[in-house]
Amino acid sequence: MSVQPQMETFINCLEAGDRRRCFRLIQEWEQQKLSDEQLYTDILIPSLIFIGTAWESNRHGIVEEHVATQIIKSIVASKAVTLTPRRDLGKTAMVGCVPNEHHEIGSMLLANMLESEGWKVYLYGSSVPQQELVKSATNMKPDLICLTMKSIGCLESTLQLLVAIRRDLPGTKIMLGGMHIPSVRAILSEHVDILADNFIDGIKQAEMLAGTST
């Protein structure tokens, strides 16, 4: 089912900074049985990309971009409260951004999708130093560490983190998403188990790694 009209309506409300209208649209679509997966992949993510591009091209200011981002964050957080896992996998995942990466909505969306599939998720967000990440991961001992990286400027700190995780948690699987530059992906691929092209691909590969795919 195409949701192009819904996405365009949602973007218009985001550009206007109309929080209440955005929230009401989500409620209306929930009542119409729009799946969370389609909401995330076909409406929220394209809308976020649109707003980011508008800011980069100076069609919107930084305040407008932040307002739209906060609206989407609120929606994703509210979906986390109401979701019902379809099963219990008995597996844990630690989810968040790589060091120096501040775009955390991707991690929030991934956390929701993993929880829906039955993972127990530790979502830490962004702005966590490498040393603290590795320390906490060592204590939590997750089956999977999911990292999101959007900025190429995070490459050096990300490689340092990946090396540290491999050293201290050799049995933990690592998934990284959000980076689409081929040359950077080639470098990162040597240090991770999964380079996810998108959320759906990431979820499927995570289940295969954990031995829980159906």
Side-chain angles (χ1 to χ4, degrees):
M1 179 182 70
S2 173
V3 292
Q4 183 71 23
Q6 289 94 324
M7 184 188 70
E8 292 175 355
T9 300
F10 187 73
I11 287 175
N12 289 337
C13 293
L14 279 181
E15 290 187 296
D18 193 339
R19 281 166 45 91
R20 304 314 309 168
R21 176 59 177 152
C22 286
F23 298 156
R24 286 195 298 271
L25 285 172
I26 299 301
Q27 291 177 334
E28 291 174 11
W29 296 334
E30 287 177 339
Q31 293 170 359
Q32 296 167 7
K33 305 302 182 182
L34 180 73
S35 70
D36 288 351
E37 179 180 302
Q38 195 163 29
L39 172 66
Y40 297 158
T41 60
D42 295 343
I43 296 178
L44 296 188
I45 294 173
S47 297
L48 190 64
I49 293 172
F50 179 92
I51 294 298
T53 302
W55 170 66
E56 291 171 355
S57 61
N58 294 317
R59 286 185 285 121
H60 290 320
I62 188 66
V63 172
E64 289 83 355
E65 190 268 344
H66 280 205
V67 167
T69 298
Q70 291 303 319
I71 290 173
I72 294 178
K73 280 186 177 181
S74 297
I75 291 169
V76 177
S78 70
K79 298 298 289 185
V81 174
T82 59
L83 69 80
T84 301
R86 68 185 186 93
R87 54 181 172 170
D88 182 0
L89 293 178
K91 299 288 185 177
T92 58
M94 186 174 175
V95 181
C97 299
V98 300
N100 303 317
E101 176 62 71
H102 305 292
H103 298 87
E104 62 183 349
I105 292 182
S107 294
M108 295 172 67
L109 287 167
L110 180 61
N112 281 11
M113 297 176 78
L114 285 169
E115 284 189 333
S116 293
E117 292 300 316
W119 292 76
K120 178 178 180 180
V121 175
Y122 303 107
L123 174 64
Y124 66 81
S126 62
S127 303
V128 178
Q130 172 193 314
Q131 183 177 356
E132 293 301 317
L133 274 175
V134 176
K135 178 181 177 181
S136 294
T138 302
N139 292 333
M140 294 176 179
K141 294 180 173 57
D143 298 288
L144 178 67
I145 296 178
C146 302
L147 303 167
T148 58
M149 172 185 171
K150 182 178 179 181
S151 173
I152 191 173
C154 300
L155 179 58
E156 182 176 353
S157 59
T158 298
L159 289 173
Q160 293 173 355
L161 172 63
L162 296 175
V163 169
I165 292 174
R166 286 294 193 217
R167 180 192 65 226
D168 294 351
L169 294 118
T172 297
K173 303 298 184 181
I174 306 172
M175 177 168 72
L176 189 142
M179 178 48 61
H180 301 287
I181 300 174
S183 59
V184 178
R185 286 170 62 90
I187 296 171
L188 293 168
S189 65
E190 300 179 10
H191 302 276
V192 301
D193 300 286
I194 302 172
L195 271 175
D197 293 320
N198 53 59
F199 290 101
I200 305 304
D201 175 59
I203 295 297
K204 290 179 179 178
Q205 291 202 56
E207 291 188 349
M208 290 177 63
L209 269 184
T212 58
S213 58
T214 57

